[in-house]
Amino acid sequence: MPVCRSRQYLAFALASLATCQGTAYGAATAASLSGPAAPFRTPYLPSNDAETLQDVPSALDPAVSEMRALRAQLDAAPRSFPAAISLADTYVAYGRQVGDAHYAGYAEAVIASWMAAAQPPTRVLVTQATILQYRHQFGAARALLQQALRKDRGYAQAWLTLATLDMVQGDYPSAGKECAQVTAAAGVELGLVCSANLRSYTGQARQSLVLLHQAEAAGENAPVNYQAWVQDLMSEDAERLGDWPLAEAHYLQALRLLPHDNFLMVAYADFLLDRARQKEVMTLLAGHEQSDTAFLRLALAQSALHSEQVGRYTWIMAARFQALALRGSDFFGREQARFALELQHDPQAALDLARRNWQVQREPWDTRLLLEAALAAQQPQAANDALAFLQRNKLEDVIIEPLARELRTKLTAADGAAP
Amino acid sequence: MDDGHRGGTFVVHGQWDIALRDLDFVLTLDDDGDGRLTWGEVRRHQADIERYAYAYLGFTANSGTRCAIRPARQMIDDHADGAYVALFFDVVCTQAPVRLRLDYNLFFAIDPSHRGIFVMNNGASVATAVLSPQNAAIDLAL
């Protein structure tokens, strides 16, 4: 029988996009991909059975075995709500810890049937909101949290998540009210940390540190996640105040509590990059290339060291962003702006990305990137809103303040030069 | 399209790359649990991978007849976010279709944020599409 061999060729890169912080900002990176070819082999057959192809979660990791045990419990009783919500929360926590957004998707699937109910349980609403917040779908996350709070005004976790969301988006008056609700619902310890977090953004970093010291003393027997959170907030306060040794001590303490936590490692890596300690970044993040946020810091370290690996890292980072853009989710604006600014050396693209990111995300790093990009692109007026935001909220930050001063000087000079 | 398909079967070649991390999540390929997935471990699970993956992929010719998927070989393909298994296969239809419908459901039940990136290389032109739970089928004009 004659066989027609057609020219059609189907290829699926069935994207695991492990890192998966999708984004709508693909245009800037797409251009870069038309440049050098992929630094990879074509499909191949490894020659040796012992060759390691891929790092995967190890069964020896207690967090992984716990997840598998919870999965088995759910598989045995697929309609058990306690089994489902425990597994979903464990997936979310693990995904955050390793910087792998797949787990947010796994969690979403586990609770999907409860979310589809006419009246989803409040715990499910909060878990789903946490997943959406992780993906930077802030509006949808807020709506779910408000729905949960309409059903249960005393749900502390929902208030805390909402307060965090408002802090991420720079709505400090709302966050203040929500921290008060956290105190009312969960007691003074958790309310204290919420309020300390808020003060860090509103020109009260010293008071924030005092509150956090109290929380540290009171929380000696608290879960390690809570203790590490307190340590992380203390390092951020110390960084804003320019006390580098104190900041580093708290980062290291946080990492002793939660070794290999992606969020903490990346925050500490940023601290090290700012101090020009790139080699320590490579040591810190070795073996964590799977995380996109960690990978970007490795690429930045390679670039600062003028390593010959920069091209490879930049290509891979761009390819990851492009693949994420195909997913259509909206994450990672901060990382993309920084990538465009520091690795692609494209101030205009960086400014466009930083401005779009700043519309949804206004943590100090987001503001800093917008100011840096406005300066690099020589468009100080692009930072007007951010400068007004800084003035209104009195953010103190020894790295951001000089950038803001420089931009204000340029804006004043431009005003003076105008007819 | 080549000549020769009149009166015979019609074959389209495909390559399907699936992340080893995703496959390890569902099939636990890392037999010794050391967190390092080796070629030996992947090779020993080739039949499992094939059985699992092809259950979630289907092709239907314009007439509504299913076309068969004939697995050819497995290789490894490196992507920006890790190593993938590359499944090579042939889609075999009894008659040359005008349209070929692809149905894709891999991983959607366990991860609704999973996406398949589909690329069709038809000689000079390249078309891409994203497969998602909301958009799990593509009609390919041949």
Side-chain angles (χ1 to χ4, degrees), chain A residues 4-5 9-18 43-44 49 51 53-56 58-59 100 102 105 109 290 320 327, chain B residues 2 5 13-17 19 21-22 33 35 37-40 43 76 80-81 83 104 111 113 115-117 119 121:
Chain A
C4 161
R5 300 246 160 218
Y9 186 72
L10 315 173
F12 305 67
L14 282 170
S16 115
L17 303 184
Y44 61 97
D49 270 2
E51 184 177 333
L53 303 174
Q54 174 71 54
D55 288 339
V56 292
S58 165
D100 181 346
H102 273 83
Q290 196 78 39
R320 287 190 184 188
R327 292 174 73 99
Chain B
D2 290 352
H5 60 263
H13 309 299
Q15 176 187 340
W16 185 8
D17 286 10
R21 269 179 88 87
D22 285 351
L37 192 52
T38 62
W39 170 236
R43 212 168 43 76
I76 298 297
D81 62 346
Y104 175 88
D111 176 7
S113 69
R115 296 292 178 269
I117 313 294
V119 180
N121 190 341

Side-chain angles (χ1 to χ4, degrees), chain A residues 125-352:
Chain A
L125 291 170
V126 174
T127 297
Q128 182 72 23
T130 308
I131 292 167
L132 295 175
Q133 185 178 351
Y134 181 74
R135 294 190 188 135
H136 293 194
Q137 293 170 351
F138 296 122
R142 176 175 283 110
L144 291 182
L145 292 170
Q146 287 165 342
Q147 190 183 341
L149 289 165
R150 277 196 298 276
K151 293 176 71 168
D152 181 359
R153 290 285 298 171
Y155 197 175
Q157 183 62 50
W159 284 116
L160 183 62
T161 309
L162 191 55
T164 309
L165 198 161
D166 279 325
M167 282 186 244
V168 167
Q169 295 206 285
D171 182 354
Y172 305 129
S174 296
K177 290 177 200 146
E178 287 140 15
C179 284
Q181 295 286 351
V182 171
T183 308
V188 68
E189 289 82 7
L190 200 58
L192 194 87
V193 184
C194 189
S195 161
N197 192 357
L198 177 59
R199 281 164 197 253
S200 174
Y201 298 132
T202 53
Q204 298 169 290
R206 277 183 207 288
Q207 293 95 318
S208 174
L209 269 177
V210 172
L211 293 178
L212 291 168
H213 274 297
Q214 293 172 13
E216 185 186 29
E220 273 179 340
N221 299 313
V224 286
N225 282 318
Y226 171 88
Q227 292 188 50
W229 178 38
V230 170
Q231 294 299 322
D232 172 63
L233 291 174
M234 290 170 102
S235 21
E236 289 184 31
D237 276 333
E239 270 196 277
R240 279 193 237 307
L241 295 167
D243 188 338
W244 315 127
L246 183 67
E248 180 154 30
H250 286 301
Y251 276 129
L252 293 174
Q253 179 58 22
L255 282 165
R256 268 192 290 276
L257 291 159
L258 285 183
H260 309 302
D261 180 85
N262 182 68
F263 180 87
L264 291 174
M265 285 195 304
V266 163
Y268 182 45
D270 281 340
F271 170 86
L272 294 172
L273 286 168
D274 273 343
R275 312 268 82 69
R277 290 163 58 183
Q278 296 89 358
K279 288 195 173 142
E280 291 168 74
V281 172
M282 309 235 265
T283 313
L284 175 72
L285 298 178
H288 298 278
E289 292 82 1
Q290 196 78 39
S291 150
D292 285 337
T293 48
F295 193 86
L296 175 66
R297 275 68 185 187
L298 285 167
L300 291 167
Q302 298 277 1
S303 169
L305 291 170
H306 305 291
S307 140
E308 54 192 30
Q309 290 289 315
V310 179
R312 179 183 165 83
Y313 274 80
T314 304
W315 192 95
I316 292 176
M317 193 76 247
R320 287 190 184 188
F321 282 139
Q322 195 182 41
L324 294 168
L326 278 174
R327 292 174 73 99
S329 51
D330 200 348
F331 252 58
F332 258 177
R334 181 190 300 175
E335 270 70 23
Q336 281 199 286
R338 198 162 167 197
F339 177 69
L341 187 64
E342 296 184 39
L343 287 167
Q344 294 185 312
H345 310 290
D346 185 343
Q348 186 59 54
L351 181 57
D352 293 343

Side-chain angles (χ1 to χ4, degrees), chain B residues 86-136:
Chain B
L87 304 178
F88 291 87
F89 60 92
D90 292 337
V91 183
V92 184
C93 306
T94 47
Q95 283 189 327
V98 180
R99 289 189 164 277
L100 190 61
R101 178 190 156 99
L102 176 159
D103 288 282
Y104 175 88
N105 284 294
L106 186 77
F107 297 140
F108 290 157
I110 56 153
D111 176 7
S113 69
H114 173 80
R115 296 292 178 269
I117 313 294
F118 173 82
V119 180
M120 180 154 164
N121 190 341
N122 194 351
S125 65
V126 175
T128 56
V130 177
L131 293 148
S132 66
Q134 290 74 37
N135 185 28

Side-chain angles (χ1 to χ4, degrees), chain A residues 25 55 122 189 203 258 288 353 358 366 389:
Chain A
Y25 318 135
D55 288 339
T122 45
E189 289 82 7
L258 285 183
H288 298 278
L353 291 162
W358 201 76
D366 303 297
F389 173 83

